[in-house]
């Protein structure tokens, strides 16, 4: 790899301090020329998606998460209002909570949040809280599973007295998702046991007319915010799903949305040589021969981005892991994603990455600012931040020297704006890649199959339990 290769392949957006280095992916001119027709189709597909085409043919609906950070792109006024009105309402709601205009029935002010959700309805808010929710006005807790011990641990952390000034945010598009429903039932039981009215502490984020919407009305929830069917869970962090808890934490949600809008604007341009999301998608395609033959290892070199690999795991794997393509042909597409933070987890698996099975490519994320304020020297001439930078560069060099390829993404610091940039970058890369390999990125039939299988098990469990009570038989007979 030469300096000229690096310089010619580096994509920079200096107006917001972003860069993408794919020089260690070895994308040659022949490959890019060969991909030309697919690239043009991908640009056309995402343009049609943003204009309101039925981008999810299986479910017959539009896909509009790109409108969330630029409502003017929405194809009609009704859709624009469905974005701007809830945004204004949730900002006003958060302000009233912070100033005590909306308060617990027992007096005082709401001091913390308990978010109940699953999948993207929890993972997006968790990423935001971990990355940019430090020193939040309202600390946040999560029920993100139907694990009773996990629920008990969270309730113990809050404490019975703490429930009185906890605002519960329940997030479910349908209201029928079992994990979220169970969490809400468990939370209500805790409030009932403490002699408090659950509804007077609760907010719903859900589809209009859903089961949760009906429950919220019946139980007198403080507020309800709508979820639209044109926003999928894994791309919902910039909808009411992510913005309600973020605003309650006091996070600058306008900057968050602006970051995604900024990267959208750059990656909307039909120039593959300067489009970071398209370049990422092409790198994924080249690494896995368009068939997902290589895993993606994600290493953000910043503690606050520790959940980013987990977030990308859902975004990428749920979007791209598909059995059939758009023509109904069996293709078994997907890219497996795993990772954690650098340099901590280099000690866990870089040995295999460098010397073991070469079944991956790496995505390293650099944050150039070490800390606020001055750093001490941990040894003459070097700070702890210098070491972090050194480990990143040393790792990618060691990997490349051993024939392992990598991408490096660089941002100046972790702020609401820059987190928006990162999320938007990968959302658009997923859209481009899905087009390149001719799949539907916006449905999840495998998830639905698992839910149905769980329902069958629960029915069987009930039948077996009833026989155990009523009859004396062996396990084999039952």
């Amino acid at each position: 790899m030469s300096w000229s290769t690096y310089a010619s392949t580096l994509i920079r957006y200096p107006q917001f301090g972003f860069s993408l280095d794919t020089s260690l992916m070895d994308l040659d001119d022949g490959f890019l020329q060969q991909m030309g027709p697919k690239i043009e189709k991908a640009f056309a597909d995402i343009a049609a998606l943003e204009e309101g085409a039925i981008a999810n043919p299986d479910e017959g609906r539009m896909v509009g998460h790109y409108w969330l950070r630029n409502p003017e792109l929405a194809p009609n006024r009704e859709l624009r209002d469905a974005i701007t009105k809830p945004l204004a309402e949730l900002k006003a709601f958060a302000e009233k909570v912070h100033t005590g205009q909306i308060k617990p029935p027992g007096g005082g002010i709401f001091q913390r949040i308990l978010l109940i959700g699953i999948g993207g309805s929890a993972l997006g808010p968790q990423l935001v809280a971990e990355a940019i929710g430090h020193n939040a006005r309202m600390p946040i807790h999560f029920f993100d599973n139907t694990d009773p011990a996990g629920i008990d641990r969270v309730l113990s952390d809050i404490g019975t007295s703490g429930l009185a000034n906890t605002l519960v945010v329940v997030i479910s598009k349908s209201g029928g998702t079992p994990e979220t429903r169970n969490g809400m039932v468990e939370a209500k039981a805790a409030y009932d046991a403490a002699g408090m009215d659950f509804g007077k502490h609760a907010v719903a984020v859900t589809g209009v007319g859903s089961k949760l919407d009906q429950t919220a009305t019946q139980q007198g929830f403080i507020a309800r915010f709508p979820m639209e069917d044109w926003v999928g869970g894994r791309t919902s962090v910039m909808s009411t799903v992510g913005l309600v808890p973020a605003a309650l934490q006091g996070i600058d949600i306008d900057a968050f949305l602006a970051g995604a809008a900024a990267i959208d604007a750059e990656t909307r341009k039909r120039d593959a040589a300067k489009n970071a999301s398209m370049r990422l998608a092409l790198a994924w395609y080249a690494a896995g021969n368009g068939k997902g033959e290589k895993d993606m290892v994600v290493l953000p070199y910043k503690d606050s981005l520790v959940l980013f690999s987990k977030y990308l795991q859902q975004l990428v794997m749920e979007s791209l892991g598909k059995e059939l393509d758009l023509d109904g042909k069996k293709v078994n597409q997907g890219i497996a994603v795993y990772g954690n933070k650098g340099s901590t987890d280099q000690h866990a698996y870089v040995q295999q990455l460098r010397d073991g099975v070469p079944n991956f490519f790496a995505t390293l994320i650099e944050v150039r600012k070490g800390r606020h304020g001055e750093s001490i020297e941990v040894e003459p001439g070097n700070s702890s931040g210098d070491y972090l930078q050194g480990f990143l560069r040393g790792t990618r060099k060691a990997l490349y020297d051993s024939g392992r390829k990598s991408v490096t993404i660089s941002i100046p610091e972790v702020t609401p704006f820059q987190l928006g940039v990162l999320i938007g970058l990968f959302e658009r890369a997923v859209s481009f890649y899905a087009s390149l390999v001719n799949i539907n990125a916006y449905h999840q039939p495998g998830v639905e199959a698992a839910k149905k299988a769980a329902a069958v098990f629960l029915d069987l469990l009930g039948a077996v339990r009833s026989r155990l009570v009523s009859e004396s038989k062996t396990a084999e007979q039952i």
Side-chain angles (χ1 to χ4, degrees), residues 167-188:
L167 184 65
V168 183
V169 180
V170 187
I171 304 177
S172 174
K173 185 181 292 185
S174 67
T177 306
E179 296 93 337
T180 305
R181 180 205 60 214
N182 293 355
M184 182 174 67
V185 171
E186 293 267 9
K188 185 178 185 303

Side-chain angles (χ1 to χ4, degrees), residues 299 301 343 346 350 353 364 390-400 406:
L299 283 169
Y301 281 72
S343 63
Q346 291 180 202
V350 163
L353 296 185
L364 297 92
F391 287 135
L392 184 154
R393 282 159 178 75
T395 298
R396 69 179 182 178
K397 183 181 187 304
L399 291 176
Y400 192 70
S406 68

